[in-house]
Amino acid sequence: MSDEEREERELDLTSPEVVTKYKSAAEIVNKALQLVLSECKPKAKIIDICEKGDSFIGEQTGNMYKNVKKKIERGVAFPTCISVNNTVCHFSPLASDDTVLEEGDLLKIDMGCHIDGFIAVVAHTHVLQQGPVTGRAADVIAAANTAAEVALRLVRPGKNNKDVTEAIQKVAAAYDCKIVEGVLSHQMKQFVIDGNKVVLSVSAPETRVDDAEFEENEVYAIDIVTSTGEGKPKLLDEKQTTIYKRAVDKSYHLKMKASRFIYSEINQKFPIMPFTARALEEKRSRLGLVECLNHDLLEPYPVLHEKPGDLVAHIKFTVLLMPNGSDRITSHSLQELQPTKTVDDPEIKAWLSLGTKAKKKGGGKKKKGKKADEAANEEAKDENSQG
């Protein structure tokens, strides 16, 4: 086998080394989330907490793979964001921003880490208060959490992306909440945070995606955002946008010196992963970013808002579709919730009762083109060899 073929083959979960890198990235991002949560206190500045999250990921990944011959890229795969109450996502302010957390705020923490381009992302929702969360805040978090649990059970080989879209909307409705439009769950590959296979959060005429079937050895970021409002968020202020990703397939000869300076800095420091404008030379960045954005060299991650008074919850996790079942590698336990609604729908209950590990007798469905019993035997061998 040539080196190229070997490289090609080792990029998915059939390689134990790849699985290890995913799990190492997940371990770091889970710890980073724990750290960020511990820093979330009334009157704490959001910018300070975001920087601590990013620094922790940088330090922890920096300690790994130090002595290897070939340099291994590693670090932040998605900058730490803390979006409060009716703010939906991507709030990761610049150093000059003085926004602080307040008692009773409902916070969404969103972050990602990668090792050698193998990415683990996580998002978690927390209310800044003592004691159990009640009322509509509990409903919206329970809706996101239950939808995430259902999605975990439906994102499995042989199932279809449409099934997941319909299911999570049904779960949100059971809590009298809406799934927020425009959120996509993406397949992830090495150095690709937003792969082509996606799950729509809400099926709408204006957002169409290709039908796709989940397959063994794929990795997904399952992204669930729920709202007590309409679930149709708006961009209120473009100046709030601070997270961007280089559009790798676009090129343009920039006219302004400031733009060329910033773009070359982005190419060097953040050729592939999303980054925060905080990490650029701030004096020049605002000016230079505008021209880069106008010519589609960067993809912005806008800060979106529901209406004031609406509450938004966010749960995101990374799942590896291993031969022996689905392995959710990023998560954090929730506070005690006392929602006003209970789920009585038999279909939702049936989804939640599904296991996440593959059963031997189900092997025939997964391995197309083989007789069911042969496939089951293969699967049994797989499980024995892993055990």
Side-chain angles (χ1 to χ4, degrees):
M1 195 189 293
S2 73
D3 278 355
E4 273 179 25
E5 282 176 324
R6 189 175 292 116
E7 290 259 303
E8 192 58 40
R9 214 193 76 188
E10 285 176 353
L11 296 188
D12 75 6
L13 300 177
T14 51
S15 155
E17 191 186 348
V18 167
V19 176
T20 299
K21 285 173 180 171
Y22 273 117
K23 290 190 170 178
S24 301
E27 192 180 340
I28 291 170
V29 85
N30 286 332
K31 283 182 183 163
L33 172 55
Q34 181 75 43
L35 169 78
V36 165
L37 259 177
S38 71
E39 295 286 338
C40 288
K41 301 183 176 88
K43 302 302 177 200
K45 275 171 75 169
I46 291 179
I47 165 67
D48 294 346
I49 308 171
C50 290
E51 289 195 323
K52 281 180 182 159
D54 291 352
S55 301
F56 179 85
I57 290 174
E59 287 157 18
Q60 295 290 310
T61 52
N63 291 334
M64 302 183 76
Y65 297 100
K66 274 190 195 160
N67 304 320
V68 290
K69 283 182 192 152
K70 187 177 151 198
K71 181 174 182 266
I72 286 188
E73 298 286 332
R74 56 212 192 276
V76 172
F78 199 85
T80 306
C81 303
I82 300 177
S83 308
V84 175
N85 298 331
N86 64 314
T87 304
V88 176
C89 53
H90 304 150
F91 189 76
S92 189
L94 298 175
S96 50
D97 189 291
D98 289 328
T99 312
V100 296
L101 299 176
E102 301 291 355
E103 180 76 30
D105 277 350
L106 184 150
L107 340 160
K108 281 81 64 185
I109 301 164
D110 186 4
M111 57 204 315
C113 168
H114 81 97
I115 291 169
D116 196 18
F118 298 105
I119 302 163
V121 288
V122 69
H124 176 73
T125 301
H126 179 83
V127 180
L128 216 49
Q129 66 171 59
Q130 300 296 317
V133 178
T134 58
R136 294 298 281 152
D139 289 346
V140 78
I141 299 172
N145 186 54
T146 308
E149 291 293 338
V150 166
L152 173 63
R153 287 155 175 79
L154 295 182
V155 176
R156 55 197 313 167
K159 294 274 191 200
N160 195 285
N161 57 354
K162 284 205 306 280
D163 305 335
V164 182
T165 304
E166 287 162 12
I168 61 177
Q169 288 180 85
K170 188 167 189 176
V171 170
Y175 289 96
D176 196 16
C177 293
K178 289 274 200 305
I179 295 283
V180 171
E181 289 181 11
V183 179
L184 296 174
S185 296
H186 285 274
Q187 184 186 3
M188 297 195 292
K189 296 181 176 179
Q190 188 182 28
F191 291 111
V192 181
I193 200 167
D194 48 4
N196 292 335
K197 271 194 187 181
V198 299
V199 179
L200 265 181
S201 49
V202 177
S203 38
E206 62 276 14
T207 45
R208 284 195 54 74
V209 297
D210 293 338
D211 286 354
E213 189 179 291
F214 306 113
E215 293 173 48
E216 211 170 85
N217 295 316
E218 290 180 338
V219 179
Y220 285 87
I222 303 301
D223 208 345
I224 311 278
V225 185
T226 50
S227 172
T228 59
E230 290 176 9
K232 297 178 192 293
K234 304 262 185 307
L235 173 66
L236 298 183
D237 181 2
E238 277 184 8
K239 288 198 186 73
Q240 283 191 319
T241 304
T242 61
I243 297 177
Y244 305 93
K245 183 167 80 76
R246 193 172 76 92
V248 284
D249 53 347
K250 297 280 195 299
S251 63
Y252 174 79
H253 186 68
L254 293 160
K255 306 288 185 284
M256 285 166 52
K257 194 175 174 186
S259 312
R260 291 199 297 273
F261 176 84
I262 281 300
Y263 194 58
S264 112
E265 190 185 356
I266 290 167
N267 275 329
Q268 282 169 0
K269 287 189 184 169
F270 310 106
I272 295 169
M273 296 293 175
F275 62 91
T276 158
R278 279 198 307 275
L280 304 172
E281 278 215 16
E282 207 164 317
K283 281 188 188 129
R284 299 199 195 189
S285 68
R286 206 27 94 185
L287 196 60
L289 286 170
V290 173
E291 193 185 2
C292 295
L293 286 163
N294 287 346
H295 295 284
D296 299 327
L297 295 179
L298 299 175
E299 295 169 16
Y301 286 81
V303 179
L304 302 175
H305 301 265
E306 282 276 73
K307 294 191 174 81
D310 292 344
L311 295 174
V312 178
H314 186 188
I315 297 213
K316 176 162 55 177
F317 62 88
T318 304
V319 61
L320 313 182
L321 303 188
M322 303 295 287
N324 63 343
S326 302
D327 192 355
R328 176 179 179 168
I329 56 171
T330 59
S331 65
H332 193 287
S333 54
L334 291 166
Q335 291 158 288
E336 187 189 336
L337 303 176
Q338 294 177 354
T340 67
K341 309 272 185 279
T342 52
V343 173
D344 298 316
D345 186 289
E347 193 175 18
I348 296 175
K349 285 183 164 174
W351 288 326
L352 289 168
S353 69
L354 294 169
T356 57
K357 294 296 170 209
K359 291 190 174 59
K360 289 176 199 175
K361 66 174 187 288
K365 281 183 190 155
K366 284 188 186 173
K367 309 210 173 181
K368 285 192 264 193
K370 283 191 175 189
K371 289 192 195 111
D373 53 350
E374 270 184 36
N377 286 340
E378 292 262 319
E379 195 134 319
K381 275 188 217 154
D382 285 356
E383 289 201 354
N384 290 338
S385 64
Q386 288 197 350

